[in-house]
Amino acid sequence: MANQLSQLDQVFAALADPTRRAIVMRLCAGEASVGELAEPFEMALPSFMKHVHVLELSGLVQSEKSGRVRTCRLSPEALVGAEDWFQHQRAIWEARLDRFEAYVMKLKKERAAAKQSSKATEKTTNKPSKRKGTE
Amino acid sequence: MANQLSQLDQVFAALADPTRRAIVMRLCAGEASVGELAEPFEMALPSFMKHVHVLELSGLVQSEKSGRVRTCRLSPEALVGAEDWFQHQRAIWEARLDRFEAYVMKLKKERAAAKQSSKATEKTTNKPSKRKGTE
DNA sequence: TCTATAGTTAGCTTGATGGCTAACCAATTA
DNA sequence: TAATTGGTTAGCCATCAAGCTAACTATAGA
């Protein structure tokens, strides 16, 4: 669990750099050697290798050396893990919106009821409209 | 576009810190003052404020001061933007898996056809099975 | 076997990040 | 009006991140 959290740290930190995001995007399209990956960047190779290394540490990328060429591929589990984090937050957020809306509805109802009781007998219990989007 | 990219940088960098993720999670459940937010952490207040500031710069959090208390709330657009990035990558990744599978199927077909032509007339065009999962 | 290629290691510089304390407003509240 | 509360500013320090060059290893190809 704590380990998983620090994994999230590493994944987000890895993705905070545009070079590394570009590498991930490239690898989504298929595996590639370090040289192929590095080619579009102006950076010196050792600098570039650091990025690859960060991606490996984060679990986003795996690599394997065969002969003198190191081939990198995406290992999407870490990516999915991070995506899950967002979905979880969104679920909580949306549940809260729902609760908030329910609360507003309850207030409306109570106010209507108060009006009713003061005005004595008049039935206007208008149904609340359904969710109006994500805001 | 470039601006949006650097926004992604900032959002991911903001989320790379467990304190800041905790703040975001807390704010998913509803707005809170700086003091309320800081309460669970052992950190000195100025240090904590830095985290809040980073979150504000990233666009994940908005805040407003009324009297002497500053109230923070989530501004979920940035969160959604980051989530979109994942979904986009996943779409590319999955399309690639599909293409890869199609390629394998084509190979199989060609091999079968080759066998057929060498064996002359024997019809065994076995239909390929459907997707077998994500890996 | 020599040479070019692909990557790696070591070590340096610069700037950002994450923490702290101390001192300082500015609203509330007694 | 004096004291408390909630937050802010300023400035320090240690560590990490991202880049570089130079020198090195190991494989592939001529």
Side-chain angles (χ1 to χ4, degrees):
Chain A
M1 179 70 178
N3 192 11
Q4 205 183 16
L5 286 186
S6 90
Q7 164 102 342
L8 259 191
D9 286 8
Q10 289 185 297
V11 168
F12 283 131
L15 295 177
D17 184 283
T19 299
R20 290 194 292 258
R21 277 203 308 282
I23 295 174
V24 168
M25 292 169 79
R26 169 60 240 280
L27 290 179
C28 275
E31 62 184 38
S33 73
V34 168
E36 287 166 353
L37 285 176
E39 198 270 334
F41 301 94
E42 306 233 315
M43 202 174 296
L45 199 58
S47 314
F48 184 80
M49 282 295 296
K50 276 195 190 173
H51 287 297
V52 173
H53 195 219
V54 169
L55 286 169
E56 285 203 66
L57 285 181
S58 76
L60 282 165
V61 164
Q62 288 177 334
S63 76
E64 193 183 3
K65 193 159 181 179
S66 143
R68 66 183 165 178
V69 41
R70 176 173 297 279
T71 302
C72 303
R73 65 183 60 80
L74 205 65
S75 94
E77 296 79 20
L79 212 51
V80 168
E83 193 180 0
D84 283 350
W85 186 86
F86 282 98
Q87 291 174 353
H88 186 224
Q89 300 323 308
R90 189 154 47 79
I92 294 173
W93 166 262
E94 286 174 355
R96 184 216 147 202
L97 279 192
D98 285 344
R99 278 202 312 280
F100 180 68
E101 190 184 4
Y103 170 69
V104 170
M105 286 310 157
K106 190 181 151 218
L107 274 191
K108 275 193 182 172
K109 232 178 209 168
E110 283 174 359
R111 193 172 302 175
K115 253 185 193 166
Q116 268 189 356
S117 66
S118 69
K119 279 196 175 183
T121 50
E122 189 181 353
K123 278 176 181 171
T124 51
T125 48
N126 52 347
K127 273 265 182 72
S129 63
K130 255 292 187 180
R131 287 283 303 283
K132 53 168 195 243
T134 43
E135 165 64 10
Chain B
M1 179 70 178
N3 190 12
Q4 206 183 15
L5 286 187
S6 91
Q7 162 102 343
L8 259 191
D9 287 8
Q10 288 185 298
V11 168
F12 282 131
L15 294 178
D17 184 283
T19 299
R20 291 193 293 258
R21 276 204 308 282
I23 295 174
V24 168
M25 291 168 80
R26 169 60 240 281
L27 290 180
C28 275
E31 62 185 39
S33 73
V34 168
E36 286 166 353
L37 285 176
E39 198 271 334
F41 300 94
E42 306 234 315
M43 204 174 296
L45 199 59
S47 314
F48 184 81
M49 282 295 296
K50 277 194 189 174
H51 288 296
V52 173
H53 196 218
V54 169
L55 287 169
E56 286 203 67
L57 284 181
S58 76
L60 283 165
V61 163
Q62 288 176 336
S63 75
E64 193 184 1
K65 194 159 180 178
S66 144
R68 67 184 166 179
V69 41
R70 175 174 297 279
T71 302
C72 303
R73 65 183 60 79
L74 205 65
S75 96
E77 297 79 19
L79 212 51
V80 168
E83 193 180 0
D84 283 351
W85 186 86
F86 282 98
Q87 290 174 353
H88 186 223
Q89 300 323 308
R90 188 153 48 77
I92 295 173
W93 166 262
E94 285 173 356
R96 184 215 147 203
L97 279 191
D98 286 343
R99 277 204 312 281
F100 181 69
E101 190 185 6
Y103 170 70
V104 170
M105 286 310 156
K106 189 180 152 220
L107 275 191
K108 275 192 181 172
K109 231 176 209 172
E110 284 176 358
R111 193 171 302 176
K115 251 184 193 167
Q116 269 188 355
S117 67
S118 69
K119 279 195 173 182
T121 49
E122 189 180 352
K123 279 175 182 173
T124 51
T125 46
N126 51 348
K127 275 265 181 73
S129 62
K130 257 291 187 181
R131 287 282 303 281
K132 53 165 192 242
T134 44
E135 164 59 7

